[in-house]
Amino acid sequence: MENISQDTKNILGLQLPTDPRWVDLASISLEDILTDHAYCEQKAANSCISLITKYNDKEKLVDELSPIVTEEWGHFRLVLSELRKRNLPLGRQRKDEYVNKLLEFQKKGSSPEERFLDQLLTMALIEARSCERFKRLSEGLTDEYLRNFYRKFMESEAGHYTLFITLAETYINKEKVRARWKEWLTYEADVIKNFEIRGDRVH
Ligand SMILES: [Fe+2]
Ligand SMILES: [Fe+2]
C-alpha cells in the first residue's frame, strides 16, 4: 500500500490528478460527500451483481466478484453508520454525471468481447478514480478520524482496481487490454478536466 501514497498517477495510471482544491470543498460539504459516497458503494455492489449474472459462465469472474459484492455492501454500511453517527439522513441519490460520461465511451454495437472488456475497464476506472479521491481525503482532511476512515477505503478500492484489470487479462489478450485501457485513461482525463470542481460528490 505504501506505493499508493507515493504517486497515484503512476500507480493507477490516471492521467490527471484531482485538483487539490477539491479536498477543501469536500471538507465543507462532508454531509453531501458521505451521501454520495454511500451511493457509490451501493452502485459498486450492484454492478458486480450484474456482471455475475451476465457472465455466469466465467468461473473466475463469478468467484472473484462474489466476495467483492459483500465488501462493497460492507462499505455502504460503514458510510451509512457514519451518517447516522452524525444524525444525518442517507439522503437522495444524485445524477451520476461522471459514470454517465464514462458509459458514453463504451463501444456500442461492438463484439461481445469488446463490450465485456469495456465493462471491466469502466469498473477499473471508477475504482481507480475513487481510490485517488479517497487518498486525497485521507491526506488532506484536518480531522484525524476521517483521514483514517478514508484511508481504509483507499486501500480497498486500489485492490478492486487491480482485480478488474486482472480479470480483463484473464479472458482477453493482454495487448488488447492495455491498448483499450490507454484509450480509457485518455478519455477519463478529459472528462475530469471538463468537469467543474464540486465538493459535494466523490467524482
Ligand atoms: Fe467500495
Ligand atoms: Fe470498490
Side-chain angles (χ1 to χ4, degrees):
M1 269 311 109
E2 62 271 25
N3 286 340
I4 300 293
S5 52
Q6 277 170 19
D7 186 350
T8 311
K9 190 183 169 198
N10 287 343
I11 302 300
L12 303 172
L14 297 174
Q15 302 296 298
L16 192 73
T18 291
D19 189 310
R21 287 171 296 173
W22 175 76
V23 180
D24 300 327
L25 294 173
S27 69
I28 43 180
S29 41
L30 197 69
E31 175 176 354
D32 293 323
I33 283 287
L34 285 170
T35 291
D36 191 50
H37 182 185
Y39 285 111
C40 287
E41 301 294 357
Q42 192 190 83
K43 281 177 276 188
N46 275 340
S47 302
C48 288
I49 292 172
S50 299
L51 285 169
I52 290 168
T53 310
K54 197 164 176 187
Y55 299 106
N56 57 76
D57 57 327
K58 298 190 185 334
E59 252 178 57
K60 186 178 162 72
L61 178 143
V62 172
D63 292 349
E64 300 275 353
L65 290 188
S66 296
I68 305 298
V69 173
T70 314
E71 203 181 315
E72 300 291 21
W73 193 249
H75 288 170
F76 171 82
R77 294 183 63 193
L78 278 174
V79 183
L80 179 64
S81 62
E82 208 51 43
L83 281 160
R84 294 301 189 228
K85 236 170 63 186
R86 293 155 196 266
N87 288 318
L88 294 169
L90 170 60
R92 286 165 66 103
Q93 184 179 186
R94 51 104 188 161
K95 205 173 126 213
D96 200 330
E97 289 169 55
Y98 174 74
V99 171
N100 288 342
K101 272 278 165 207
L102 293 186
L103 293 179
E104 282 176 21
F105 194 62
Q106 290 190 347
K107 283 184 188 162
K108 309 286 177 311
S110 54
S111 71
E113 185 187 80
E114 283 176 316
R115 285 204 301 277
F116 175 54
L117 176 58
D118 271 353
Q119 285 177 54
L120 292 177
L121 295 185
T122 305
M123 294 295 286
L125 208 38
I126 298 168
E127 297 286 358
R129 183 58 75 184
S130 304
C131 173
E132 194 248 5
R133 294 271 156 125
F134 295 142
K135 176 179 182 284
R136 298 272 159 190
L137 293 171
S138 74
E139 289 172 352
L141 292 175
T142 46
D143 184 306
E144 198 193 338
Y145 170 82
L146 283 173
R147 283 207 305 273
N148 286 328
F149 178 76
Y150 285 112
R151 191 177 166 81
K152 288 186 201 113
F153 287 101
M154 174 194 94
E155 290 171 357
S156 188
E157 310 310 356
H160 297 168
Y161 149 77
T162 317
L163 173 63
F164 283 109
I165 298 284
T166 306
L167 282 176
E169 290 179 344
T170 302
Y171 297 102
I172 297 158
N173 174 285
K174 278 188 188 175
E175 269 85 70
K176 249 190 206 173
V177 174
R178 286 290 138 201
R180 184 62 178 151
W181 180 237
K182 269 194 181 160
E183 292 174 3
W184 271 102
L185 289 171
T186 306
Y187 177 79
E188 197 262 357
D190 211 49
V191 169
I192 291 287
K193 198 170 73 194
N194 291 310
F195 266 2
E196 142 194 33
I197 307 160
R198 293 178 55 162
D200 61 347
R201 51 190 57 184
V202 176
H203 313 105

